[in-house]
Amino acid sequence: MSPIHAVESSRMTSVLEPTATDRGILADASRIEPWLHITVVLLTAASAVRYVSGHGFGDNAGWVLSGAAVLLGIYAFPRLVRTGSARWASGWCLALVVTWFALVLLAPSFSWMAVPLSFVALRVLPFVAACAVIAAMVATVVTAWVRMAGTLDPTIVAGPVCIALLAVVAYRALERAGSVRQELVEELSDVHSDLADAQHRAGALSERARLSRDIHDSVAQGFTSINLLLQAADQSWSSRPDAARESVAQAALTAREGLDEIRRVIGDLAPAEVMSDQTATALFAALRRSAEQAVRDTGISIEVLLHGDPTPVAPEVAAAVLRTARGALANVVEHSGATRAVVSLTYQADCLTLDVYDDGTGFAPSQPPRARGRGRGRGLAGIQNRVHQLGGELVVESAPGEGTTIAVSVPLQPAKRRDAR
């Protein structure tokens, strides 16, 4: 069915019952529609009663009462027989008006029916055709009243004309206002859809950034270790084959651990160390293993310290702290040129603090990331984003030639959980 045919076919079925797709003054007017039905029935009955009370059951009473019954039957036709043709809708309206014309010529009291029938015509027929029908109805009313009064009273002419004019103008204005409102609703719906798409894109970008941080602070560190171990094995392959084989074995172990880690990153899980073991000392033990791995890979002296009484923390907090430590140690190995590093984990009443110090070359924190050297800016930016998502804080203290200290403070209760309470 074409769009034009679909619009036209809705006219007949919507005359007596509004639908969600109709527009205009009666569109979706569940409160007005019943009153239109009541008005048609009451005016028809009142006009028939008035004729009978004035003329009795003689003369044309039979024709008048039959015509009134036919008028009500035609009016109820769309409710009794559902049709989807625009021609049926126009034919139904014209049959209704023609029957009314005949009744007005027999009994001028039926002139009052012109008011509800005008709304029916405006609802069913095209606007120009409806105006033509209403003009014919006004002329019929004026003719019937002049014939009944026996004289040409200016009010008999001006009254119906003014009422019809106001009805058409008011209907047209309300119809246009309804169209504007519908357009605004559609625009608002489009804006809402665009906003939902933007939020979806923002969420996707945020998730990509999170995965980038996690890969940088976990898998990238493992690849760095593998590269260093294989370089050491290549250099000692002839002179110290046992040490070379040990380096290769350690590289293979690191590769397997990196594979497990990337699988967990993809699955949005915490690192294995804090996922499988959520005891009070699990995080500290995982930090020690990461530091020992870095020592084996690089030979840098790394000391891991614990302060305060360990308590179990949420997996997301433990994962963030562990990945932050790994990212910081990766920066130490790759960029600092340090010979010694200290990792301190401190449990406080309401937060967890991680400090990573190295005696390397240091840098200027206020300097743009690109000027610091490759990798340094991305690592710190990832750490900062991860910490801020949990409601924590990051402080970087460094200066050229004076080493670097990275201090991270994260609430024991994640920010999103505290907000939920």
Side-chain angles (χ1 to χ4, degrees):
M1 181 181 294
S2 67
I4 296 178
H5 184 267
V7 172
E8 292 179 348
S9 65
S10 67
R11 292 185 181 275
M12 189 64 180
T13 57
S14 63
V15 170
L16 296 179
E17 183 175 346
T19 62
T21 59
D22 292 330
R23 296 183 180 181
I25 190 172
L26 296 180
D28 196 21
S30 58
R31 295 182 179 179
I32 297 178
E33 196 78 17
W35 287 107
L36 182 60
H37 304 332
I38 294 172
T39 301
V40 170
V41 173
L42 287 181
L43 287 178
T44 302
S47 300
V49 170
R50 183 179 186 279
Y51 181 85
V52 172
S53 63
H55 301 275
F57 288 97
D59 297 333
N60 295 321
W63 290 104
V64 171
L65 295 178
S66 298
V70 171
L71 183 69
L72 291 178
I74 295 175
Y75 184 79
F77 181 78
R79 183 176 293 276
L80 300 176
V81 179
R82 299 294 181 180
T83 60
S85 172
R87 289 185 178 180
W88 273 101
S90 299
W92 169 83
C93 182
L94 293 178
L96 194 65
V97 173
V98 169
T99 303
W100 172 82
F101 281 151
L103 280 173
V104 171
L105 295 178
L106 293 174
S109 57
F110 281 90
S111 298
W112 291 105
M113 287 290 298
V115 176
L117 292 183
S118 297
F119 283 99
V120 172
L122 288 169
R123 177 73 181 277
V124 175
L125 301 177
F127 182 72
V128 175
C131 289
V133 170
I134 292 173
M137 294 172 65
V138 170
T140 302
V141 170
V142 171
T143 300
W145 283 5
V146 168
R147 191 180 66 176
M148 182 177 61
T151 182
L152 182 61
D153 187 342
T155 59
I156 294 178
V157 178
V161 171
C162 292
I163 292 175
L165 181 62
L166 289 176
V168 171
V169 172
Y171 182 92
R172 191 63 167 173
L174 290 175
E175 186 180 40
R176 289 178 177 176
S179 299
V180 172
R181 182 185 62 183
Q182 183 66 26
E183 291 176 0
L184 291 176
V185 170
E186 292 174 356
E187 291 179 2
L188 181 61
S189 178
D190 293 340
V191 170
H192 179 74
S193 178
D194 293 341
L195 179 60
D197 292 341
Q199 290 176 341
H200 176 73
R201 290 193 297 269
L205 291 175
S206 177
E207 184 65 12
R208 291 178 60 183
R210 183 193 68 79
L211 290 174
S212 175
R213 294 193 304 268
D214 292 346
I215 291 173
H216 176 275
D217 294 344
S218 57
V219 180
Q221 182 187 9
F223 285 152
T224 301
S225 300
I226 293 173
N227 181 55
L228 294 173
L229 286 168
L230 293 179
Q231 287 180 356
D234 181 62
Q235 294 174 0
S236 60
W237 194 262
S238 299
S239 59
R240 293 188 298 164
D242 293 339
R245 282 193 292 271
E246 182 180 352
S247 296
V248 171
Q250 186 61 45
L253 176 61
T254 303
R256 287 194 297 271
E257 292 177 350
L259 181 60
D260 293 338
E261 182 63 24
I262 192 60
R263 286 171 177 170
R264 290 182 175 86
V265 169
I266 293 174
D268 196 25
L269 298 175
E273 298 91 329
V274 295
M275 193 66 182
S276 60
D277 184 4
Q278 298 184 18
T279 60
T281 58
L283 177 58
F284 181 68
L287 287 175
R288 287 178 62 95
R289 287 193 295 270
S290 296
E292 291 170 357
Q293 179 67 48
V295 171
R296 288 193 300 268
D297 296 343
T298 64
I300 297 176
S301 174
I302 301 177
E303 185 179 5
V304 182
L305 305 177
L306 176 65
H307 305 285
D309 297 326
T311 58
V313 297
E316 55 266 43
V317 173
V321 172
L322 179 58
R323 285 176 174 150
T324 296
R326 288 177 174 177
L329 289 176
N331 281 339
V332 171
V333 172
E334 296 178 38
H335 310 292
S336 70
T339 59
R340 178 175 177 270
V342 179
V343 179
S344 300
L345 182 65
T346 304
Y347 286 86
Q348 300 181 13
D350 58 351
C351 67
L352 191 62
T353 302
L354 174 71
D355 298 302
V356 179
Y357 163 78
D358 69 76
D359 62 355
T361 57
F363 66 99
S366 59
Q367 195 175 15
R370 291 184 178 179
R372 301 175 190 167
R374 186 178 179 182
R376 171 76 76 171
R378 290 196 303 270
L380 289 178
I383 291 173
Q384 185 176 31
N385 290 336
R386 180 185 297 110
V387 170
H388 284 179
Q389 284 185 352
L390 294 176
E393 296 181 357
L394 168 67
V395 177
V396 179
E397 297 180 356
S398 183
E402 297 184 6
T404 302
T405 299
I406 296 177
V408 171
S409 177
V410 181
L412 292 177
Q413 188 74 11
K416 52 187 177 182
R417 290 190 179 181
R418 288 186 281 109
D419 294 341
R421 294 190 305 177

